[in-house]
Amino acid sequence: MAVYTEGTPCWVDAQLPDLEAGKRFYGELFGWTFDDDRDEALLDGRRVAGLLPKRDGRMPTTWTVYLATRDAGTVAARVKAAGGQMVMEPYPVGPFGVLALAADPGGAVLGLRQSGEDDGFEVINEPGSFCWMEVYTRRPGPVDTFYASVFGWLGRQADPAEEGKEAGFDYRVWSPPGSRPDDDTAFGGRAVITDAFPAEMPGHVLVYFAVRDCDEACATTVRLGGRVAEPPVDTPYGRIAVLHDNQGARFAVLAEPTPADPLDAPGEPAALSTDTTPLETPAPTVSTLSEPPAEP
């Protein structure tokens, strides 16, 4: 059983109206195979994500990231005390441990996962696997305070000049408690939904998957019935795009720079985190959603 640093990403899943169509889409896009007995996607035989049938049509079709915890009940109490809400109180799921869904003060929903006997990522940062998460909010102050108090996340503000952005660009990079907040320990970030975005856009979490070729992933997505929400763009950390699958679930892809690129290539993919070693991911990736989204 893998052991994860408290409060770091340990799993992602999507609930889809048509599970078989989802398997065909992600199987071709990321090279996933599937364990039907566990509703899990595999990359070269290693657990990488969950794909489940949607049981409630009122729920959005979306990717959810789960944060590791040793006690979901205690974290649920901290969520409510810090101004968040519990969308679903902790409930046992057999060998998968205990799950819960929480919403931060800006409305972004994320999961809690109290580890079971055999669960969580077996691979990250490789093409076809999870590599980053971003929280989008209209309430950066309360949201930053929320994650610091509930999970102990350590934050640092991204430098607009280093990111190629204008002064006033507001992006916060998060590292787990007990670590040094820098690119080597960062696992996610917080971006602001400004007035330039549609008023109806809610707070949300964007899940990133690593790919070898960002442009190819976009072309494959469109061919398989999905669409490109934000076209590929180069960042200091690689080439990224924001996509929708063939059922509307939103996610992002990141292709790291190659050694031949003029950009600085990040270090080797990190291993799964332990109790004492924070879960490492590539350096913080600033999404194109920091600017108004393109028209569908």
Side-chain angles (χ1 to χ4, degrees):
M1 178 183 73
V3 180
Y4 300 87
T5 301
E6 183 82 9
T8 59
C10 65
W11 192 242
V12 291
D13 69 23
Q15 296 191 17
L16 304 173
D18 187 335
L19 182 58
E20 292 306 313
K23 289 179 179 179
R24 290 191 294 271
F25 178 90
Y26 289 105
E28 185 163 351
L29 179 63
F30 293 141
W32 291 352
T33 57
F34 301 93
D35 182 339
D36 294 331
D37 293 333
R38 294 170 58 98
D39 291 325
E40 290 179 344
L42 308 175
L43 183 66
D44 298 327
R46 299 167 294 175
R47 290 189 303 271
V48 69
L51 287 186
L52 302 88
K54 184 191 283 191
R55 295 180 174 84
D56 186 344
R58 297 170 297 178
M59 297 296 289
T61 301
T62 184
W63 278 97
T64 300
V65 62
Y66 291 81
L67 306 179
T69 179
R70 297 177 184 85
D71 189 331
T74 298
V75 174
R78 292 206 299 262
V79 165
K80 289 179 274 192
Q85 299 180 25
M86 292 306 299
V87 178
M88 186 176 294
E89 294 287 347
Y91 62 99
V93 284
F96 304 107
V98 177
L99 301 182
L101 289 176
D104 69 22
V109 175
L110 65 154
L112 306 176
R113 187 162 182 148
Q114 181 179 317
S115 62
E117 299 171 2
D118 184 22
D119 67 342
F121 294 128
E122 288 185 312
V123 57
I124 58 171
N125 297 337
E126 294 183 13
S129 67
F130 170 86
C131 64
W132 190 254
M133 63 169 285
E134 282 176 341
V135 174
Y136 284 83
T137 185
R138 297 181 188 275
R139 306 183 63 199
V143 163
D144 290 348
T145 300
F146 172 84
Y147 288 106
S149 60
V150 174
F151 299 107
W153 289 358
L154 305 175
R156 63 180 178 84
Q157 289 296 121
D159 186 320
E162 293 179 0
E163 304 296 340
K165 303 291 184 179
E166 296 181 358
F169 172 70
D170 187 354
Y171 189 90
R172 193 161 183 82
V173 181
W174 282 317
S175 296
S179 67
R180 180 173 181 169
D182 57 24
D183 288 356
D184 291 334
T185 61
F187 60 82
R190 185 270 296 146
V192 176
I193 303 173
T194 66
D195 292 339
F197 290 84
E200 64 272 15
M201 178 178 283
H204 61 280
V205 178
L206 183 65
V207 173
Y208 278 73
F209 295 100
V211 293
R212 289 185 175 85
D213 187 313
C214 183
D215 296 78
E216 181 179 333
C218 291
T220 301
T221 293
V222 172
R223 177 171 58 80
L224 296 174
R227 67 181 180 89
V228 177
E230 289 293 318
V233 63
D234 290 317
T235 77
Y237 311 103
R239 189 163 174 82
I240 65 175
V242 181
L243 310 173
H244 287 267
D245 70 15
N246 57 346
Q247 298 177 67
R250 189 180 185 92
F251 63 100
V253 292
L254 161 68
E256 293 185 4
T258 64
D261 287 342
L263 304 174
D264 291 333
E268 293 296 319
L272 296 173
S273 69
T274 67
D275 280 335
T276 57
T277 303
L279 178 67
E280 296 181 358
T281 64
T285 307
V286 179
S287 167
T288 54
L289 282 183
S290 299
E291 295 161 357
E295 293 297 323

